[in-house]
Amino acid sequence: MNNRLIQKSISLLLLLVFGFSCKNDTDIVKITPDAGPSFLDIESEGYMVELSARPVDKGQTGTWKVYIGDNGSFEDIHNPTSKFYGEPGVTYQLIWEVTEGDQYKTDLITVSYKELKPSILTEIPQDTLFHNISTYLTAAAPKYGAAGSWTILEGEGGSIEMVNDSTAAFIGVKNSAYKVQWTLSFGNKIVSEELDFVTDELKAFAGDDQLDIITDLNSDEKKYYTLQAFLPAGATGSWTLLNGTNGEIYHNNLPHSLFKGDPDTEYELAWKVEIGNTVSADTVKLRFRGKWGVWVDERDNQEYRFVEINGLEWMADNYNYAEDPGNMSWYYGYGYRALIQDGHPLDDEEERKRYGRLYYLGAAMSRPPEGWRLPTAIELDDVIRLYGGELYAKEALKVGGESGLEINYPGYLSFSDPSDPAFRHIFKGQEKETLIMTSDINPNTGMGYVFVMNTSIPNVGFAVMNTNFNGMTVRYVREKQ
């Protein structure tokens, strides 16, 4: 063999050896898998993410695999942007493997989904259903394909309506303890939260009394109000108009029905609720402001009409609070060592409300209800002037008059009256005269101005007198609210 042939043989051998090695090195370098970004704490519909691996080169194959994590699946294991489905609360390690021939390389990403977190929103104060045997169970609604359900864990005789709804109705037996559970599930993941409570007896609630509903300034038109009853879970309800003319309930079975009525008319409505064989009823009073508003004395729950005149709110009913009865206030006809000169003693509650009590100066001046006070003589005089002056105002001030003050004739009590030989107290002037106390009275001497209105004379006005010797009517005023 000559040298040239030997050289060619060596060159061919070297080419075969080194050429093959270089080819394998080149192929390994070209396999560059890129699985894309990780996805952490994902919340999505169906607990799914769309993966973002880099597409493989020609002649290569990519494959998704779950390295760590249970119950994960791919829509297409060879699609670099395949959808991946997992379960809440699981962290997955996913491999994107790229192969060419018998060579392969891999890249790794992390996909994690947030946990299921059941949340019961129903709040039961002190764990007791006060005045009820049922309740609305409310939980945060399931999301992203999870399912929810209610279960009674403890307690007898209870039931749940719409158990698979996040808002369900629980109905139990009175005075019984229960434990309920709200469960969320997705795939193999199941988590729950519990709620304990005790039922009470069923008690209907028709809403709070509304005796001064202000709607508009026109007192001649019909008035409207949305009723505020409560309908217990699983119950049926019905309204009934008990008292008051021209009232109309638009939807008898709705707790928030619209109600229509006349101004200055007091209505009483009944709201009845039924759960199975258990029935309860409650009443509510309603009154629309027309000419008069209504104020309720919290000390004894008595109602007083008031009317707005000259920027002040004036009581349109005689004051009737029992301030130290027999010593500082009296009903007509009832007093120690007292005679009745006119009329009759007030035995009937309706008459007592209409005429009110007669008050001693000290009680009227120093113990008015909160926010109210005696009117000044000037304020009363301004009212008289507003309605025509002393000779003409009487028609407007009396019951049924334009002013709305509704001044009547309750009479008064004269202390140690000199017309009686024994100087006894005398009740005078019932249905004849009214004496209304003002704040313009000297508390030390008792001398001051008193508003006077009498059936026998047309004019109205003031008298200067010693009020220490008389029990008189009180009409308080207050600033416009």
Side-chain angles (χ1 to χ4, degrees):
M1 185 176 295
N2 58 35
N3 291 335
R4 181 174 291 181
L5 182 59
I6 294 173
Q7 289 176 350
K8 287 183 178 181
S9 297
I10 293 172
S11 298
L12 180 59
L13 181 61
L14 292 173
L15 179 62
L16 290 172
V17 173
F18 291 102
F20 179 79
S21 299
C22 290
K23 184 177 186 304
N24 287 340
D25 288 344
T26 301
D27 290 345
I28 294 173
V29 171
K30 285 184 179 179
I31 300 177
T32 54
D34 181 357
S38 293
F39 299 87
L40 305 178
D41 292 329
I42 297 301
E43 284 184 312
S44 62
E45 188 63 32
Y47 290 89
M48 178 274 294
V49 295
E50 292 187 4
L51 304 174
S52 298
R54 185 178 67 81
V56 299
D57 295 333
K58 185 177 180 180
Q60 298 177 346
T61 301
T63 305
W64 285 107
K65 298 179 180 180
V66 177
Y67 180 57
I68 296 176
D70 296 327
N71 303 311
S73 64
F74 302 93
E75 186 178 68
D76 181 354
I77 61 173
H78 298 302
N79 184 354
T81 59
S82 172
K83 294 178 179 179
F84 174 71
Y85 298 89
E87 290 189 340
V90 179
T91 298
Y92 296 89
Q93 298 289 327
L94 306 183
I95 291 175
W96 175 240
E97 180 184 270
V98 179
T99 62
E100 184 176 349
D102 58 354
Q103 303 295 315
Y104 70 91
K105 279 189 176 182
T106 61
D107 192 21
L108 186 71
I109 63 170
T110 300
V111 176
S112 63
Y113 297 96
K114 285 189 175 181
E115 295 181 354
L116 287 175
K117 291 185 177 180
S119 176
I120 295 178
L121 304 178
T122 299
E123 295 183 2
I124 301 176
Q126 300 179 1
D127 300 327
T128 300
L129 300 179
F130 291 113
H131 305 317
N132 214 338
I133 61 174
S134 67
T135 187
Y136 292 101
L137 297 173
T138 304
K143 298 186 294 184
Y144 312 121
S149 64
W150 292 98
T151 307
I152 298 176
L153 298 180
E154 297 178 8
E156 299 296 328
S159 63
I160 298 177
E161 298 177 357
M162 301 181 69
V163 294
N164 296 319
D165 198 311
S166 60
T167 299
F170 168 86
I171 302 172
V173 178
K174 70 177 182 178
N175 302 324
S176 299
Y178 291 92
K179 177 182 287 187
V180 298
Q181 177 177 274
W182 170 245
T183 301
L184 290 180
S185 61
F186 185 95
N188 295 297
K189 292 294 180 180
I190 300 175
V191 290
S192 61
E193 186 176 19
E194 298 174 356
L195 178 66
D196 296 271
F197 54 86
V198 177
T199 58
D200 198 349
E201 294 190 13
L202 178 65
K203 185 176 181 181
F205 178 65
D208 296 323
D209 291 344
Q210 302 290 335
L211 296 175
D212 191 23
I213 303 171
I214 302 174
T215 55
D216 55 53
L217 298 179
N218 190 340
S219 62
D220 298 326
E221 296 181 354
K222 292 288 185 180
K223 306 291 184 177
Y224 297 88
Y225 175 75
T226 300
L227 299 173
Q228 299 295 319
F230 174 71
L231 182 65
T236 58
S238 60
W239 286 105
T240 303
L241 179 61
L242 300 178
N243 293 306
T245 58
N246 299 322
E248 181 179 353
I249 302 166
Y250 278 72
H251 301 283
N252 287 63
N253 298 321
L254 295 183
H256 296 157
S257 171
L258 193 65
F259 175 76
K260 179 175 70 174
D262 290 334
D264 293 326
T265 300
E266 186 170 300
Y267 297 93
E268 186 175 16
L269 287 72
W271 171 245
K272 182 176 70 173
V273 294
E274 299 181 58
I275 301 178
N277 296 322
T278 305
V279 180
S280 179
D282 186 30
T283 61
V284 64
K285 293 180 180 180
L286 304 176
R287 187 180 181 281
F288 297 102
R289 181 186 291 194
K291 178 178 287 188
W292 297 281
V294 169
W295 171 76
V296 180
D297 193 335
E298 294 182 352
R299 294 174 297 181
D300 57 9
N301 291 319
Q302 289 196 70
E303 301 171 12
Y304 296 89
R305 295 176 300 165
F306 63 85
V307 63
E308 183 184 338
I309 304 175
N310 290 336
L312 293 173
E313 291 177 346
W314 297 74
M315 283 189 179
D317 294 301
N318 298 333
Y319 198 51
N320 192 37
Y321 180 70
E323 183 67 62
D324 194 2
N327 294 309
M328 293 294 232
S329 66
W330 302 262
Y331 280 125
Y332 194 94
Y334 287 89
Y336 179 67
R337 295 184 69 249
L339 305 176
I340 298 176
Q341 177 175 298
D342 303 299
H344 60 275
L346 302 182
D347 296 319
D348 179 78
E349 286 300 321
E350 185 176 338
E351 280 194 320
R352 289 183 171 186
K353 177 60 179 174
R354 182 167 72 250
Y355 291 118
R357 286 179 173 269
L358 304 172
Y359 292 87
Y360 185 67
L361 172 64
M365 293 193 73
S366 62
R367 303 175 191 175
E370 184 176 357
W372 296 86
R373 58 175 176 80
L374 288 174
T376 67
I378 291 178
E379 289 167 344
L380 271 167
D381 190 57
D382 287 341
V383 173
I384 294 172
R385 291 175 181 273
L386 178 66
Y387 292 102
E390 294 184 358
L391 291 176
Y392 302 100
K394 184 177 179 180
E395 286 299 313
L397 302 183
K398 70 180 185 180
V399 174
E402 176 188 355
S403 72
L405 278 174
E406 302 285 284
I407 295 176
N408 55 14
Y409 301 99
Y412 61 96
L413 174 58
S414 176
F415 303 129
S416 303
D417 195 287
S419 65
D420 178 67
F423 289 93
R424 286 174 291 185
H425 308 327
I426 299 179
F427 288 97
K428 298 181 175 182
Q430 188 183 67
E431 288 303 330
K432 295 180 179 180
E433 191 167 15
T434 182
L435 303 179
I436 297 178
M437 201 177 300
T438 76
S439 61
D440 291 315
I441 297 172
N442 187 320
N444 297 318
T445 65
M447 295 298 297
Y449 289 97
V450 174
F451 173 86
V452 180
M453 194 166 85
N454 193 294
T455 57
S456 62
I457 54 178
N459 60 302
V460 297
F462 299 90
V464 177
M465 56 192 301
N466 190 333
T467 59
N468 283 333
F469 292 100
N470 294 280
M472 294 176 288
T473 295
V474 167
R475 293 287 189 99
Y476 287 115
V477 298
R478 67 179 180 182
E479 305 303 316
K480 182 180 177 181
Q481 301 298 296

